[in-house]
Amino acid sequence: MFLRPSPAKTERRRIVIVRFCVLASGSAGNAAFLATSKTRILIDAGLSVKDLMRRLADIGEKLEDIDAVLVTHEHTDHVSGLARMVRWRAKRKKTLPVFTSRLTSPLIDWEDIEAPPVEKFQAGSGWVIGNIVVQSFTIPHDAVDPVGFCFYAEGVKIGVATDLGYVTDSIKVHLRRVQILLMESNHDLEMLKVGPYPWSVKQRVMGRNGHLSNSHTCDYLEQDLDNGVRTLILGHLSEHNNHPEIVRLGAEQSLLRRGIQPRLVIAEQKKQTEVFAY
């Protein structure tokens, strides 16, 4: 299913056929954008409609052009803007399909929307949206039916794996041969232990259904990250229990030991990343 980019596409004038941008990443809201020449999708909708429109406009895109939204799980920082986004599109006589895992949809607050345009899928299944092939996979997190995604678009494979307590063998298999990867690096363990959270919350974050620590993410990078990855985006950093430079330094050291040199980017909460184009 996955194909390496053809050398014929490496011309003097580069033709961009796949674009990926993390619009926001963190405990206050999450959303990412993926586009081909024919299809535009969002992964999660944890921003207000106003913020989402502004960040899309900053990269030359419009909310009315989005073909679908895919939801990883029901936690507020991933779906807080979803209902209003669906209603905003409905007022413009254009349905916005929302793909959620089978058990997730009933837990989303659809506000006053009587029949939300939901397409339910079984975690682990795959399907096609426009010319983007989608593959979902189960992740360990304290949600009812959380998933990560891999996308195959014009010969490029993109992986999205955030909000997971640990990296299972199954996830490692799904993330093979990725060229763009958005991976969680949530907290520094020592900062979390001495940080402001109640002990019950600290236990949840550190648990096997919580969030990846920097050290666990670095272990994955050093031992299992695909050698062909070209862009590595680390995200969902804790505001109180992490720091971008700690994440960057640890990742750089792990990648050096692994002997690979992808582009390393730390996703932020308050502004979108650059647009990664292939």
Side-chain angles (χ1 to χ4, degrees):
M1 182 181 293
F2 174 75
L3 300 174
R4 296 285 182 185
S6 169
K9 290 184 170 32
T10 308
E11 303 172 348
R12 179 173 298 178
R13 185 175 180 181
R14 186 161 166 257
I15 300 174
V16 174
I17 54 177
V18 176
R19 302 169 72 230
F20 182 73
C21 176
V22 180
L23 300 172
S25 185
S27 57
N30 295 272
F33 170 82
L34 173 62
T36 67
S37 59
K38 300 178 180 179
T39 308
R40 286 162 169 75
I41 64 174
L42 292 177
I43 303 100
D44 287 330
L47 298 175
S48 68
V49 171
K50 180 179 179 180
D51 281 346
L52 185 61
M53 291 177 68
R54 177 176 55 81
R55 297 191 191 198
L56 284 172
D58 285 345
I59 61 171
E61 299 291 341
K62 299 178 180 179
L63 182 56
E64 51 262 42
D65 293 333
I66 300 298
D67 295 297
V69 179
L70 285 71
V71 175
T72 58
H73 62 292
E74 75 276 9
H75 289 170
T76 303
D77 56 323
H78 293 260
V79 300
S80 61
L82 186 58
R84 293 182 183 181
M85 189 185 309
V86 169
R87 189 162 56 242
W88 185 90
R89 281 282 294 265
K91 289 180 179 178
R92 287 152 182 82
K93 309 300 181 183
K94 192 172 183 180
T95 300
L96 179 63
V98 178
F99 290 80
T100 77
S101 62
R102 185 174 56 86
L103 299 178
T104 297
S105 180
L107 297 181
I108 295 175
D109 180 6
W110 292 106
E111 299 179 1
D112 59 349
I113 301 175
E114 294 183 2
V118 173
E119 300 282 348
K120 297 179 183 179
F121 62 86
Q122 181 65 40
S125 64
W127 64 97
V128 177
I129 303 174
N131 63 343
I132 298 176
V133 177
V134 182
Q135 177 64 54
S136 65
F137 53 89
T138 296
I139 60 174
H141 191 52
D142 57 352
V144 66
D145 195 20
V147 297
F149 294 108
C150 282
F151 305 96
Y152 305 82
E154 303 286 0
V156 179
K157 181 177 180 181
I158 303 99
V160 175
T162 65
D163 294 73
L164 61 162
Y166 68 105
V167 185
T168 66
D169 289 340
S170 174
I171 293 173
K172 294 175 183 179
V173 171
H174 280 289
L175 296 183
R176 289 174 183 168
R177 298 186 297 279
V178 293
Q179 289 172 278
I180 306 172
L181 175 60
L182 170 59
M183 168 71 78
E184 177 174 63
S185 191
N186 178 257
H187 60 277
D188 175 86
L189 192 56
E190 294 307 313
M191 288 182 68
L192 176 64
K193 288 179 178 179
V194 301
Y197 290 176
W199 179 243
S200 59
V201 176
K202 295 179 182 181
Q203 287 180 307
R204 183 186 73 81
V205 172
M206 290 186 291
R208 285 173 69 82
N209 290 316
H211 290 274
L212 281 184
S213 68
N214 295 343
S215 60
H216 286 145
T217 300
C218 286
D219 287 344
Y220 170 79
L221 300 183
E222 189 170 339
Q223 300 169 17
D224 297 290
L225 179 65
D226 193 272
N227 290 334
V229 66
R230 295 165 64 180
T231 301
L232 171 64
I233 310 163
L234 297 179
H236 216 298
L237 276 63
S238 170
E239 180 181 0
H240 300 291
N241 304 302
N242 213 346
H243 191 281
E245 290 310 310
I246 295 176
V247 174
R248 185 182 301 278
L249 179 60
E252 287 176 344
Q253 292 174 342
S254 292
L255 293 170
L256 181 63
R257 287 191 289 266
R258 180 67 185 277
I260 57 177
Q261 295 181 311
R263 174 85 182 279
L264 175 62
V265 177
I266 310 301
E268 300 181 37
Q269 181 71 81
K270 295 183 179 180
K271 67 177 182 179
Q272 69 272 14
T273 64
E274 66 182 275
V275 178
F276 306 101
Y278 291 87

